[in-house]
Amino acid sequence: LNFKMKPVMIFVAAIFLSTGIFALSGVAPGSYDVSFQGGAGKNFTFNFIFDPDVTSRLFVEGDFANFVTLDKYEITGAQKVIAIVRFPENSSSYGNRKIMIVAKQVPSSVEGIGIISEIIGTINIFVPYPGKFVEAKLNLRDSNVDDLLGIALDLKNSGTSNVTVGSQVQILNETSLVRDLFFEPTVLMPGQSSELEKKINVSDLPCGNYSAAAVVDYDSDVPQSFFRLGKDYVGIVNYTKKLEGQKFAVFVRNLGVSNISNLYGKISGDGFETNSNFIDLEPWGSSELMFSLPINKTGNFEANLTLFYNGKTTFEKINFQNGNQFPVEFILIMVIVFFIILTLIFLRKYL
C-alpha cells in the first residue's frame, strides 16, 4: 500500500485571560494520503498532544470507519495512537474519501470555565473509479488582449485502466463561441496526471467577460473557467460637470490585469493648469483624482485632461461649468415668453 505522509503539525491554542490558563493541543502528523487497495492493511500512527492532566476519548468517523480499529480509545496527556486500517476487498464509493481519528477531551471545569478540545487526525484515501475515468480541471486567468492568453488543462486518470485522452477547450463570450481548441491525445496510466498548456493570441477579441469549457474523453463533467480580457489602459469614467468652489473630481478605472502605481492627472485650459493627487489602482479597480482649479470667473470652460501612469497617458477634452449658469434652453424659453408678453401688451393697448 503506497502512501504519503504529510509532515504537518496541527496545534490549537486556547488562552483564557480571565483565569490565566493556557491550554495546548494538537496532533502530528495532521494527515496521511493513501491510495485504496482492496484487502490491504496498514497502520497509521498519530501523536495526540494534550496537557498532562487532560483525559480524551477517541473514536473513528468518516468513510471506511467500520474497517478501522484503534490500539486505545482513551488517553491522558500526550500519547501515541495507532489506527489499524483493513480495507475491504471492494468499494462502491469512489474518488476522494476520508477517515477521521477524533480525540475529544472529557469535559472538565476550571474555576467555573468549561474547557473542551477536539482534535482530528485524517487519513485521506483515493478510491479509483472502475474502468476508464478521467478527472479534468480547467484554468484560465484574466489577461490583457495584447498578451498571450494561457490555458491550463489538468488531467488525471482516476480509473483502473489505461486511457488515451482526447480533449478540447471552447472559449465563449456572452453570446457566441470565439475559439475552439484541440489538444494532442494524451496517454495516461491509472493514477497518472498530466498538465496540458496552450498560449493563444487574443488581440482580435474585445475586452470583456468570457468563459471556457473543456470537453474531455472519459469525463462526464464539463470543467469550466471564467476570466476577463482587458487592456493596459486607464479609462476616464466621469468627471465634475459643474464646479463648486475649486474642487474638481475625475473618476478613473483600470481596464487591465496589472497594478497601476503613482497615477496622477493634469488639467490644462485657458490661463490655468493644475495636477491631481497620486493614486494606485488594482486590476479592474476604480478610484477618483481630486484637483483644485484656480478659476475665479464664471462661465463654460473647455480643458485638456491627461492621465499619467506606467509610462502611458490617457487624454480627453472635457467641458465643465463654473458658477450658476442658465442653460441655453432656459434662456430661449425666457426670450419667447418675453416677446409673447410684449405682444399681448401691444394688442391690448392699440386694438
Side-chain angles (χ1 to χ4, degrees), residues 326-336:
F326 289 109
V328 174
E329 294 84 356
F330 179 79
I331 295 174
L332 290 175
I333 292 173
M334 292 300 293
V335 170
I336 294 170

Side-chain angles (χ1 to χ4, degrees), residues 22-300:
F22 177 78
L24 181 66
S25 56
V27 60
S31 64
Y32 292 87
D33 290 338
V34 302
S35 296
F36 177 86
Q37 291 184 1
K42 183 66 183 180
N43 296 348
F44 300 89
T45 300
F46 293 95
N47 295 295
F48 286 95
I49 302 168
F50 291 94
D51 287 340
D53 58 345
V54 170
T55 298
S56 302
R57 295 196 177 98
L58 291 104
F59 54 94
V60 182
E61 291 183 341
D63 306 291
F64 306 109
N66 294 334
F67 299 90
V68 181
T69 56
L70 305 178
D71 69 330
K72 56 181 72 71
Y73 288 87
E74 186 172 290
I75 59 175
T76 299
Q79 288 192 38
K80 177 175 66 176
V81 175
I82 300 175
I84 305 157
V85 181
R86 296 292 180 265
F87 288 112
E89 291 294 332
N90 299 291
S91 173
S92 58
S93 299
Y94 307 110
N96 294 311
R97 300 294 159 181
K98 184 180 294 187
I99 298 173
M100 293 170 288
I101 312 302
V102 183
K104 187 171 185 178
Q105 183 177 337
V106 176
S108 62
S109 181
V110 178
E111 297 184 8
I113 299 178
I115 305 172
I116 300 176
S117 180
E118 182 176 285
I119 303 300
I120 301 175
T122 305
I123 305 171
N124 298 311
I125 307 153
F126 179 75
V127 183
Y129 292 83
K132 297 180 178 182
F133 191 90
V134 174
E135 291 182 297
K137 183 179 179 181
L138 180 63
N139 184 33
L140 289 87
R141 296 183 178 180
D142 293 346
S143 178
N144 287 334
V145 293
D146 294 332
D147 300 328
L148 295 177
L149 174 66
I151 302 169
L153 179 62
D154 295 330
L155 304 176
K156 180 181 179 181
N157 184 354
S158 299
T160 56
S161 303
N162 294 344
V163 290
T164 300
V165 185
S167 49
Q168 173 187 5
V169 173
Q170 296 180 327
I171 298 177
L172 306 95
N173 59 21
E174 295 180 351
T175 59
S176 60
L177 177 69
V178 296
R179 289 286 192 280
D180 200 2
L181 311 168
F182 294 87
F183 290 85
E184 291 292 328
T186 304
V187 178
L188 296 174
M189 294 183 291
Q192 186 178 5
S193 298
S194 179
E195 183 180 51
L196 309 180
E197 294 182 328
K198 276 185 182 291
K199 290 189 175 182
I200 62 171
N201 189 320
V202 290
S203 60
D204 61 319
L205 296 180
C207 299
N209 298 319
Y210 291 82
S211 64
V215 180
V216 178
D217 292 343
Y218 311 114
D219 187 352
S220 57
D221 294 329
V222 180
Q224 290 186 302
S225 182
F226 299 89
F227 64 97
R228 291 177 291 187
L229 290 180
K231 56 183 176 181
D232 191 9
Y233 181 79
V234 176
I236 298 169
V237 179
N238 202 355
Y239 58 87
T240 299
K241 299 299 191 298
K242 184 176 181 181
L243 194 61
E244 299 290 346
Q246 293 187 337
K247 293 183 178 179
F248 190 93
V250 175
F251 300 90
V252 298
R253 184 185 182 193
N254 182 3
L255 300 178
V257 299
S258 302
N259 290 310
I260 302 291
S261 300
N262 297 322
L263 180 149
Y264 74 98
K266 178 195 291 185
I267 294 178
S268 57
D270 186 12
F272 65 90
E273 182 176 290
T274 184
N275 291 344
S276 74
N277 57 313
F278 288 85
I279 62 171
D280 297 333
L281 291 174
E282 296 181 348
W284 317 102
S286 300
S287 187
E288 73 175 351
L289 297 169
M290 293 303 301
F291 297 81
S292 178
L293 296 186
I295 301 177
N296 298 318
K297 58 183 179 180
T298 61
N300 295 313

Side-chain angles (χ1 to χ4, degrees), residues 305-322:
L305 170 60
T306 308
L307 307 181
F308 299 88
Y309 53 95
N310 292 3
K312 298 179 179 295
T313 59
T314 298
F315 174 82
E316 184 175 325
K317 282 193 173 294
I318 59 174
N319 294 277
F320 60 93
Q321 183 184 105
N322 187 27

Side-chain angles (χ1 to χ4, degrees), residues 329-348:
E329 294 84 356
F330 179 79
I331 295 174
L332 290 175
I333 292 173
M334 292 300 293
V335 170
I336 294 170
V337 171
F338 177 73
F339 277 107
I340 292 174
I341 293 173
L342 285 179
T343 301
L344 292 175
I345 293 173
F346 177 81
L347 293 174
R348 185 174 181 180

